[in-house]
Amino acid sequence: MGPKPRPGTLARFRCMVQDPSYGEELHLSVAQLVNAATGETRQKFSQYTDSGHVLDDDWEVDYASASNRFIEKEVAYCVSVPGQTKWAQMDTGSSLENVLEALDISSAAGSEARFAGSADKYPLSGQRHAAALVKFYAPSTAPKVSEVVDVVGVFELGYNPREEPRQGQDAAEETGEDARWPCLHSIFHGPVSIDSLVSGLPGISAGNDYLDRRSMCLAHLTAVLGGDGLAAHYLLLHLLSSTAVVQGTKVGKFSLNLIGFPAAAASGQQTADTDRDTGGFCLENPATKHVGDALDQLVPRCVEIPFELRLLNNTSFLPNAESGDLRAGVLQLAPNTQIVCDETCLQEGTLGERGVRNLHALQTAILEQAVTYIYPYQPIEMAANLRILVLSTGKSILHNDCDLYLADSAVQLLQKINSDGPADEPKPLDPMHNEQLRQYLETARHLDFSVPKEVSDRISEEYAETRRKAHESNEKMVSQAELALAVTVARLVSVSKGEAELSWDSWSEACALEARRNERNGHFLAKIKAATDAAQKQKTGEAADSQTKSQD
């Protein structure tokens, strides 16, 4: 590592706003000075620093002068983006993570740097991360909670107003060598653009570009899922989903439960080394890890949550400010974060009160796309935009938007991976294809989309006609929930093809996908019922035989 950076270093920080409530500060940016000996006056300028004006002998600030100018700055506590994948991280020596590494400042346990409370202010507790107080100067305003921004600013070591100063030292005096809190004075900040994630590629134009990338993505996901093309289709739709509010209603959410993964080994406890690196947020089952690793290569943010009793009972999924300082919860994540839940590692044991609350919080995030922030007087529900994928052996304990049993070919591949290791896994895509798929997913997910009135009316008429025929023939009628799911699937099918409006062809394709999914699920449920009935019959027969022998 080169020489340690000095105060005044220009740094860049891709971060999530964890706590925007650190208040406002005033800084004397233009000071009118007067020489006490000669009466001479001059002005001195200062910005992007917390340090006061350094004055020469006989010079002092004329605080009564109308020429003085103060500037406001909003202070927010910002952290490394939780779940940020390696390919989405900034590869630059000026990033704040590299600056802090050079200064030996980190949030790891045992560090001499004074990051009081920082472990509680990172959603994935226990993971190494960078954190800083970022100061946004007027007229700019601080981003909202959980928002992701790229900040370019002046790095400085300052003090944390919520940290107790050392004995005999005022917080205002905590500067220089004693100041150990990283501060970044923002010169510029803005949202993370698609171009900054995938650079060097020409933009995707409507039409064949989208269809080619769609085919490439489906082929890759089909290979990952052992040739299960239907599951690949639904996984692609899940990856393209994003929650939006249309006329006061949340649309576009699409949580997915893939069923048929082999159970994790009973002894599959994470090692101390794994816990130290990941904080326990890591998939240990080779079969689920196979899918998690594939998604990790495609999305910029991915968080893995194994349903281990230890993790569920000992962590908090909801942010909590009852102590006066906002402590992060696992679900305080950036918009469009991919969450992969692994139910295969859920073993027998006691799920405590906290564990029950955590599962309820996760269920609320799935159904309502909302995360509750617990404040002293009342909880506040904040809108979220999280993609939640649940991988399970049987049907999930959580209610999801869509459930799908994996085909036999996928189950066989996953069982082989679980028992023999990744010998027969599909070859990874080359870097260029990876970049193209990432660009496709990010671009398609952010398309403006609408449903034309004529298509909407036609769908309504078809729905009414289908229900009428089902009623006349005394068959099960399509419910409103099933219609809403079909519309969501159709919306995502259109988006996957780069369409700005729902077309009738996409609606027909969505209906065909749903018919295939329902047929497959029905087939697997029938097999499960037959196996259950056979087992119950055998058990009843054995009990009858035992009773007969006892009577004899």
Side-chain angles (χ1 to χ4, degrees):
M1 185 66 64
K4 292 186 176 182
R6 305 170 67 89
T9 298
L10 194 66
R12 181 180 176 186
F13 191 21
R14 178 167 294 165
C15 57
M16 184 190 81
V17 179
Q18 190 275 328
D19 188 350
S21 65
Y22 270 61
E24 297 179 347
E25 297 177 351
L26 280 178
H27 180 73
L28 183 59
S29 60
V30 180
Q32 185 73 18
L33 307 184
V34 61
N35 189 300
T38 66
E40 181 186 354
T41 62
R42 69 169 71 156
Q43 286 186 328
K44 191 168 185 180
F45 301 87
S46 170
Q47 196 161 323
Y48 304 120
T49 181
D50 287 330
S51 301
H53 293 271
V54 179
L55 305 179
D56 297 330
D57 292 342
D58 296 330
W59 287 92
E60 58 187 31
V61 178
D62 180 7
Y63 288 103
S65 172
S67 300
N68 292 331
R69 293 290 181 269
F70 289 87
I71 190 168
E72 292 183 352
K73 45 190 173 182
E74 293 186 53
V75 185
Y77 186 96
C78 300
V79 297
S80 303
V81 182
Q84 184 167 245
T85 51
K86 290 182 178 179
W87 67 265
Q89 296 173 5
M90 294 182 300
D91 187 15
T92 170
S94 64
S95 70
L96 187 67
E97 286 88 344
N98 291 332
V99 171
L100 297 185
E101 184 179 350
L103 284 163
D104 297 327
I105 292 180
S106 74
S107 62
S111 171
E112 294 182 0
R114 290 182 293 116
F115 267 65
S118 64
D120 292 334
K121 293 181 74 65
Y122 192 65
L124 308 181
S125 179
Q127 288 191 3
R128 292 180 62 90
H129 65 279
L133 295 177
V134 180
K135 307 197 174 185
F136 300 91
Y137 286 74
S140 297
T141 56
K144 296 179 181 179
V145 66
S146 298
E147 202 170 325
V148 175
V149 290
D150 268 340
V151 180
V152 177
V154 178
F155 169 74
E156 193 174 64
L157 286 173
Y159 70 94
N160 182 351
R162 296 187 184 176
E163 182 184 27
E164 291 293 329
R166 292 181 181 181
Q167 186 174 3
Q169 183 181 40
D170 293 333
E173 297 173 348
E174 190 178 353
T175 57
E177 292 299 320
D178 291 328
R180 299 296 293 161
W181 265 93
C183 295
L184 195 62
H185 298 266
S186 173
I187 298 174
F188 167 82
H189 74 275
V192 179
S193 66
I194 295 175
D195 291 338
S196 69
L197 291 173
V198 184
S199 59
L201 290 179
I204 305 177
S205 58
N208 290 334
D209 279 358
Y210 274 97
L211 295 177
D212 291 344
R213 300 284 178 91
R214 179 179 189 257
S215 298
M216 186 191 307
C217 197
L218 283 173
H220 175 60
L221 295 177
T222 300
V224 169
L225 294 173
D228 188 347
L230 182 60
H233 267 91
Y234 276 91
L235 184 54
L236 172 60
L237 301 184
H238 168 74
L239 292 174
L240 291 172
S241 64
S242 181
T243 304
V245 178
V246 178
Q247 298 179 347
T249 303
K250 291 179 181 178
V251 299
K253 72 182 185 72
F254 190 66
S255 64
L256 178 64
N257 176 207
L258 293 180
I259 308 168
F261 284 78
S267 60
Q269 295 293 325
Q270 293 160 331
T271 65
D273 289 340
T274 301
D275 275 349
R276 186 164 55 247
D277 293 337
T278 68
F281 297 94
C282 177
L283 304 183
E284 290 293 302
N285 183 341
T288 56
K289 188 176 186 302
H290 165 73
V291 175
D293 288 348
L295 299 188
D296 209 54
Q297 294 298 313
L298 298 177
V299 297
R301 293 180 289 277
C302 187
V303 171
E304 299 173 347
I305 303 180
F307 279 20
E308 290 190 336
L309 290 176
R310 177 182 53 170
L311 185 69
L312 294 174
N313 287 332
N314 296 328
T315 59
S316 178
F317 280 26
L318 295 180
N320 190 311
E322 289 180 308
S323 65
D325 192 28
L326 181 61
R327 291 176 293 153
V330 173
L331 294 178
Q332 189 187 359
L333 299 171
N336 276 312
T337 295
Q338 175 71 51
I339 299 178
V340 182
C341 299
D342 181 6
E343 278 193 24
T344 67
C345 57
L346 187 59
Q347 306 289 343
E348 289 186 7
T350 302
L351 186 65
E353 182 181 349
R354 176 180 285 186
V356 172
R357 287 200 305 265
N358 286 337
L359 288 181
H360 181 267
L362 191 58
Q363 183 67 85
T364 302
I366 289 174
L367 295 181
E368 302 177 21
Q369 281 295 306
V371 174
T372 301
Y373 284 61
I374 303 173
Y375 284 94
Y377 299 106
Q378 67 175 15
I380 298 177
E381 201 170 77
M382 301 278 197
N385 186 4
L386 305 172
R387 290 190 308 278
I388 301 176
L389 173 68
V390 182
L391 310 179
S392 59
T393 303
K395 196 172 185 299
S396 173
I397 59 175
L398 300 170
H399 180 71
N400 292 276
D401 295 316
C402 182
D403 307 309
L404 176 63
Y405 284 84
L406 294 173
D408 291 340
S409 61
V411 173
Q412 291 167 8
L413 172 67
L414 295 171
Q415 288 175 340
K416 185 171 181 59
I417 290 173
N418 206 38
S419 57
D420 302 337
D424 294 332
E425 284 193 55
K427 294 181 179 179
L429 292 172
D430 61 74
M432 175 57 73
H433 284 157
N434 258 338
E435 294 280 290
Q436 290 175 338
L437 294 189
R438 293 164 185 166
Q439 183 190 41
Y440 162 69
L441 292 172
E442 289 299 307
T443 304
R445 193 182 298 124
H446 291 88
L447 285 175
D448 291 329
F449 187 82
S450 62
V451 180
K453 186 177 185 305
E454 57 271 19
V455 176
S456 177
D457 291 344
R458 191 173 173 185
I459 291 173
S460 298
E461 292 170 3
E462 184 182 81
Y463 172 65
E465 180 65 16
T466 302
R467 285 179 62 86
R468 185 186 66 79
K469 289 181 178 179
H471 177 71
E472 290 176 352
S473 57
N474 201 26
E475 296 178 351
K476 182 179 179 294
M477 292 189 289
V478 178
S479 67
Q480 288 188 343
E482 290 171 322
L483 173 65
L485 177 58
V487 170
T488 298
V489 171
R491 174 191 181 95
L492 295 171
V493 168
S494 277
V495 166
S496 73
K497 297 188 286 188
E499 297 173 349
E501 293 183 340
L502 177 60
S503 65
W504 189 255
D505 286 344
S506 292
W507 167 255
S508 300
E509 184 177 342
C511 291
L513 284 173
E514 279 294 273
R516 290 174 61 195
R517 182 180 72 87
N518 289 328
E519 181 183 4
R520 178 186 290 186
N521 285 353
H523 171 70
F524 274 92
L525 289 173
K527 285 176 61 176
I528 293 171
K529 185 177 185 304
T532 303
D533 291 345
Q536 183 63 36
K537 185 176 181 181
Q538 181 179 359
K539 186 176 180 181
T540 303
E542 290 175 352
D545 291 343
S546 177
Q547 185 176 5
T548 301
K549 290 180 180 179
S550 64
Q551 291 175 349
D552 293 342

